[in-house]
Amino acid sequence: MKRRKLNKKVNLFLDSGAFSAWTQGVEIDVHDYIEFIKEHKDILEVYANLDVIGIGGKQPNRLTAERTLENQKIMEEAGLEPLPCFHFGEPFEFLQYYVENYDYVALGVAGNTGLKLVPWLNECFGQYICDGEGNPKVKVHGFAVTSLPVMLRYPWYSVDSTSWVLTSRMGSVYIPRYYNGKWVYDENSWKIAVSSRSPDKVDAGKHIDTLSPRQKQVVLDYVHNKGYKLGTSRFEKIAQTHEVKENERWAEKKPKDKTAKRLLEIIDEEGIANRYQLRDEMNIIYFQDLEKTMQEWPWPFKQKGVRGFVL
Amino acid sequence: MKVYLVSFPDDIPILKRLVKKRKEEILLSYFFLREGKPLRQVVDEISKEPKKEGSQ
């Protein structure tokens, strides 16, 4: 079959989605996955092994590591070069095998976050991935590394994150720290709620409206610097029969009582406070800037304490 | 460090937003690609020159 040449503007990383499949009790067939990759190989930059995360509802363990390695071999025998995957909870000898035999490996945190994750990653990088000088011997991809401190602490070659869009849909944007006239990305950035409908509006220090005047100005300077506006909205209780105009939207669910008034948002000026699409864009820009400011890979990993490590 | 931003393959507006902001590194999951639009069609659609996005 002759394929039409695509005007490709993306570098696609395909993962199996094994974690989502596992949480939904669905099993992915390795041969179907192989077929799919073969069909799309020309538009994939990277494709991961079909990793086995949990068997019988259990967390990753020796059995899942063995099954994951089996899939790696099946895919390789089919002529593919999948990215091998090692998960939290699996015996480290599997990571050692991958580091010795591949030049790019993936670590899966399997839903683990917080202080449990840091000692595990310290062991992965400190004992297996990095040499005596702390330099990584192989490229490492971090699956679902959503925590900025974790992203910044280890010499990842690549990571993936859903937090850009989740943060935006929760009404927030990432804001880098600001020191001595510079935006600083190598510290834990702020996640500031800006949505006009955010439930965080009442919590001090979480919403732009509850920041100190100085902090608010820093946030606004960043927003304007990136070419965006905060935007303004008004809210009115209005009859449910009201015909919603282009700059309006309902701000609450339809009341059961048909005669009760319903809250309407009237957008006077569009901005990140009232358009999630614009928050999406700002968070994309944030991650692009973060990438640019990260030191070039490879860089040495230094073991640091985990005290005060906020995830 | 490369950061691949994750998206659902059937959410074309989000994918188009990534392309519009010239974010090239995108991660999609096979699990969500088994049903729905073929991947080749998704890539083709999002790679078209973006039209100016409407307000909503």
Side-chain angles (χ1 to χ4, degrees), chain A residues 128-247:
Chain A
Y128 298 94
I129 293 166
C130 298
D131 62 18
E133 304 294 311
N135 291 306
K137 294 180 273 189
V138 293
K139 295 175 182 172
V140 182
H141 178 84
F143 275 126
V145 174
T146 52
S147 154
L148 277 170
V150 170
M151 220 182 255
L152 299 168
R153 183 180 166 93
Y154 302 97
W156 305 102
Y157 176 75
S158 58
V159 296
D160 63 82
S161 181
T162 51
S163 58
W164 70 283
V165 71
L166 296 179
T167 299
S168 157
R169 299 313 153 94
M170 295 296 285
S172 300
V173 288
Y174 284 102
I175 308 284
R177 300 280 172 168
Y178 188 71
Y179 295 122
N180 302 323
K182 281 185 183 170
W183 300 107
V184 177
Y185 292 82
D186 59 358
E187 286 192 26
N188 201 8
S189 297
W190 280 330
K191 220 192 276 185
I192 299 293
V194 292
S195 168
S196 49
R197 297 190 291 177
S198 171
D200 287 333
K201 271 193 114 161
V202 290
D203 296 325
K206 284 191 176 176
H207 191 277
I208 189 163
D209 290 347
T210 62
L211 298 177
S212 70
R214 194 184 159 275
Q215 287 172 325
K216 185 173 179 175
Q217 194 53 53
V218 168
V219 172
L220 287 175
D221 285 349
Y222 176 76
V223 171
H224 298 155
N225 182 262
K226 295 298 168 192
Y228 291 84
K229 290 175 181 170
L230 183 60
T232 51
S233 298
R234 286 175 288 129
F235 292 86
E236 276 181 25
K237 280 274 188 185
I238 200 158
Q240 293 179 47
T241 51
H242 173 79
E243 204 171 303
V244 176
K245 295 179 193 130
E246 205 178 316
N247 68 326

Side-chain angles (χ1 to χ4, degrees), chain A residues 3-4 6-7 9-16 28 32-33 39 42 45 157-162 164-165 169 228 270 275 277 280-281 288 291, chain B residues 1-6 14 17-34 39-40 43-44 46-47 49 53 55-56:
Chain A
R3 285 177 182 153
R4 189 161 52 85
L6 287 165
N7 174 23
K9 290 182 178 175
V10 290
N11 296 325
L12 284 183
F13 187 128
L14 182 77
D15 83 348
S16 64
I28 297 171
D32 291 345
Y33 186 49
E39 185 64 25
D42 60 312
E45 186 186 34
Y157 176 75
S158 58
V159 296
D160 63 82
S161 181
T162 51
W164 70 283
V165 71
R169 299 313 153 94
Y228 291 84
E270 282 192 0
R275 294 291 183 212
Q277 296 94 331
D280 279 357
E281 289 187 10
Q288 286 173 314
E291 276 179 291
Chain B
M1 180 182 67
K2 287 186 184 185
V3 182
Y4 289 87
L5 295 184
V6 181
I14 285 201
R17 217 163 285 139
L18 286 162
V19 173
K20 178 186 163 190
K21 300 313 289 181
R22 294 192 166 78
K23 178 60 190 161
E24 294 174 348
E25 286 74 30
I26 297 173
L27 184 143
L28 298 175
S29 289
Y30 168 72
F31 179 66
F32 299 107
L33 278 160
R34 297 171 310 150
L39 178 58
R40 210 165 279 281
V43 173
D44 208 6
I46 64 173
S47 296
E49 284 304 312
E53 205 168 273
S55 55
Q56 182 84 308

